[in-house]
Amino acid sequence: MANFVCDRIRIGDTDGPRSRWCRSAGESRRPEMSAVPTITPEELIERIKIRLDARPHRSRYSHFDVAPVPTGPATHVLILGAGFSHGVVPLVNELMHETIGDYYYPDQDQWGKRPASVLRKASARFWQEFNAAALQEGLQTVDVDRRGLPKNAGAAYQNLFTYEAASVLFALSAPRRKTYLERIRDERQSRRTPDERRRGIADAGARFVKGFLRYVLDPGAEHGFGSTGRSELNAAHRHLAAILEAQQSGRGWQTCAFCRTVFTTNFDTLLQNALHGVNLLYCLTDRPERGFDSSDFPDEEGAIHLVYVHGSILRHNPASTTAELDGLTDRNIAVLRDHLNSRDVIAIGHGGWRDGLMAALHGCDSTRHTLYWCDVHPEPPAHVASLLEERPATAAYVQLGKGGADDLMRALYERLVPVESRRVPTQQQ
């Protein structure tokens, strides 16, 4: 959930209705006002426009040339977190308070879409069983409120994705009367293939938790129909795709490129779906566990490049735990830092989870680019503010307000693409 996962799952607060997955457990918003300069979305868009206008595009190609003229570098690189997918992928609070119950407990009453109150009760039962299993083996439990739901959704998410307590939960056996959860577990075990039974129950917890991500992000996999990913798109996805299509085609575009590399901490396929919708070519880098190579980021940019820094639901390699993210950081920080150093950086809906991107930004030469951090909250959380304060002259916090990424990308589209060249994105809202 870095989309939800990881950080993913949605970046931002983990204790409020707009919490996002990617907030580190226990982090809190700083009580004092941040010293970081704050600008409006309109000011950010104007700064982008000024940067682009300073580098007008002049076609120099002739049919007598040996080869087409190389494309010039873009002015910006995007970092998109779970907040960019707001309204499509659940936030971490919803995942831990409702979706986990919907995933684990079958809908025996045939509700169709069960009410949130029913899902919260089911989720509370799940966490009760989860904590009982953790206590039995001396593992860390999840702190719950009076309703039996996690007080800190981000911390619960990280605990779940250690797989430890989940594996114990699936392996529980006792002469006492079986709980509802255990009866469901036994029913699922009876449906395992002979090969799965030979492997035993040891990895059942990990398969259950990883399956949870597929359940949320990859609807086609739920009934064995293959990987399709979610099909819904929000306004942010559609308008970003329209901007990139106009830029790549040169339709009404008179300056250098705005962006050709998009880093995302999300696991979903929504960015790919959006680019498909405008028939735009892109290349994909989604195996961070193998290590990014500098050759993946050539000086001469061509196609749009989508980089899944925490893995992808289609690769079944999403990194969600602190240990997994630390491993990716060690492997990829140098390549990420080199690329981020060369362009202005715009982060949207990213909660600042401790990962390779954050480590790379801390290590960047702040004199070489400007960092814009965009989120819906009045001010950045403490760990993001400390990053921005490291570069007082080359960083700004962009307070998006209720409109979030949707309004930002819609306004940017209208500012960068001339009226006569606009093609209204599909299903625009």
Side-chain angles (χ1 to χ4, degrees):
M1 53 185 116
N3 291 328
F4 6 39
V5 123
C6 88
D7 287 30
R8 240 174 233 100
I9 283 190
R10 201 153 272 214
I11 298 192
D13 283 335
T14 54
D15 53 357
R18 289 190 52 91
S19 294
R20 307 194 204 156
W21 334 30
C22 293
R23 181 86 174 269
S24 141
E27 288 179 342
S28 61
R29 244 169 232 295
R30 59 168 46 188
E32 73 278 7
M33 291 299 291
S34 170
V36 176
T38 297
I39 64 175
T40 66
E42 293 75 19
E43 289 173 311
L44 171 61
I45 291 171
E46 192 57 32
R47 292 189 185 189
I48 293 172
K49 189 67 168 63
I50 291 172
R51 284 274 281 132
L52 292 174
D53 288 343
R55 289 173 51 189
H57 173 74
R58 296 180 180 89
S59 179
R60 294 173 290 136
Y61 177 67
S62 166
H63 291 295
F64 295 99
D65 288 345
V66 174
V69 177
T71 57
T75 55
H76 296 76
V77 61
L78 294 178
I79 295 176
L80 306 182
F84 197 80
S85 301
H86 177 65
V88 178
V89 177
L91 303 181
V92 67
N93 266 13
E94 184 180 344
L95 289 172
M96 298 292 97
H97 289 183
E98 299 177 13
T99 315
I100 189 68
D102 188 43
Y103 172 61
Y104 200 87
Y105 291 97
D107 182 8
Q108 299 184 62
D109 297 321
Q110 301 299 307
W111 286 92
K113 181 175 175 56
R114 289 182 278 185
S117 59
V118 172
L119 298 181
R120 285 193 289 269
K121 290 179 181 178
S123 296
R125 292 202 304 271
F126 169 80
W127 291 114
Q128 181 181 21
E129 296 285 350
F130 181 93
N131 279 341
L135 282 172
Q136 180 171 307
E137 296 297 321
L139 299 172
Q140 182 179 352
T141 60
V142 171
D143 192 16
V144 298
D145 59 22
R146 57 183 177 79
R147 301 171 299 170
L149 300 173
K151 290 182 178 179
N152 185 320
Y157 179 86
Q158 290 188 343
N159 191 331
L160 181 65
F161 274 83
T162 64
Y163 312 132
E164 293 176 345
S167 294
V168 175
L169 183 148
F170 273 82
L172 281 175
S173 60
R176 58 180 168 75
R177 181 180 177 182
K178 292 182 178 180
T179 65
Y180 179 56
L181 186 65
E182 291 169 332
R183 294 198 300 274
I184 295 174
R185 179 205 64 198
D186 291 344
E187 172 64 22
R188 285 176 172 163
Q189 289 179 15
S190 69
R191 294 172 180 263
R192 290 185 297 161
T193 65
D195 182 60
E196 289 173 329
R197 286 194 289 272
R198 282 193 295 271
R199 290 201 305 266
I201 199 68
D203 64 342
R207 289 188 290 116
F208 164 75
V209 176
K210 290 178 180 178
F212 177 50
L213 285 184
R214 296 181 68 192
Y215 174 79
V216 176
L217 291 177
D218 189 7
E222 182 177 348
H223 302 294
F225 294 129
S227 295
T228 62
R230 285 177 170 266
S231 59
E232 312 98 315
L233 295 174
N234 63 18
H237 296 118
R238 292 191 292 272
H239 284 91
L240 173 59
I243 291 169
L244 298 180
E245 189 278 332
Q247 162 196 287
Q248 295 295 91
S249 67
R251 184 171 39 81
W253 199 273
Q254 303 298 324
T255 69
C256 66
F258 159 60
C259 171
R260 287 198 181 97
T261 302
V262 179
F263 293 100
T264 180
T265 58
N266 300 335
F267 306 146
D268 57 52
T269 63
L270 299 179
L271 292 171
Q272 299 172 53
N273 296 346
L275 296 182
H276 288 160
V278 294
N279 296 318
L280 190 58
L281 178 69
Y282 62 87
C283 58
L284 200 64
T285 298
D286 62 352
R287 299 302 298 268
E289 73 279 8
R290 294 185 175 181
F292 296 147
D293 189 89
S294 57
S295 63
D296 295 329
F297 303 89
D299 292 335
E300 183 183 346
E301 299 175 320
I304 299 302
H305 188 186
L306 302 181
V307 185
Y308 287 74
V309 293
H310 295 168
S312 162
I313 194 65
L314 298 182
R315 293 289 196 176
H316 305 296
N317 64 342
S320 300
T321 66
T322 300
E324 290 172 327
L325 294 175
D326 286 346
L328 295 183
T329 297
D330 294 340
R331 185 177 292 271
N332 297 317
I333 181 173
V335 174
L336 293 173
R337 183 178 58 239
D338 288 347
H339 192 77
L340 294 173
N341 250 335
S342 62
R343 293 158 179 81
D344 284 355
V345 180
I346 303 175
I348 306 174
H350 181 24
W353 182 263
R354 191 184 75 186
D355 68 350
L357 285 170
M358 286 296 286
L361 288 171
H362 277 288
C364 281
D365 180 354
S366 62
T367 65
R368 296 178 58 184
H369 67 188
T370 300
L371 171 61
Y372 299 102
W373 199 278
C374 310
D375 210 337
V376 297
H377 303 290
E379 61 180 61
H383 57 291
V384 172
S386 64
L387 167 65
L388 302 181
E389 288 168 356
E390 292 175 3
R391 42 172 78 209
T394 58
Y397 180 68
V398 185
Q399 203 279 310
L400 299 180
K402 293 182 179 179
D406 286 349
D407 282 1
L408 173 65
M409 298 314 297
R410 182 184 291 111
L412 185 61
Y413 169 70
E414 293 173 352
R415 186 73 175 91
L416 299 185
V417 181
V419 174
E420 63 274 11
S421 300
R422 292 177 193 167
R423 296 176 183 173
V424 178
T426 305
Q427 299 177 349
Q428 182 176 350
Q429 295 178 355

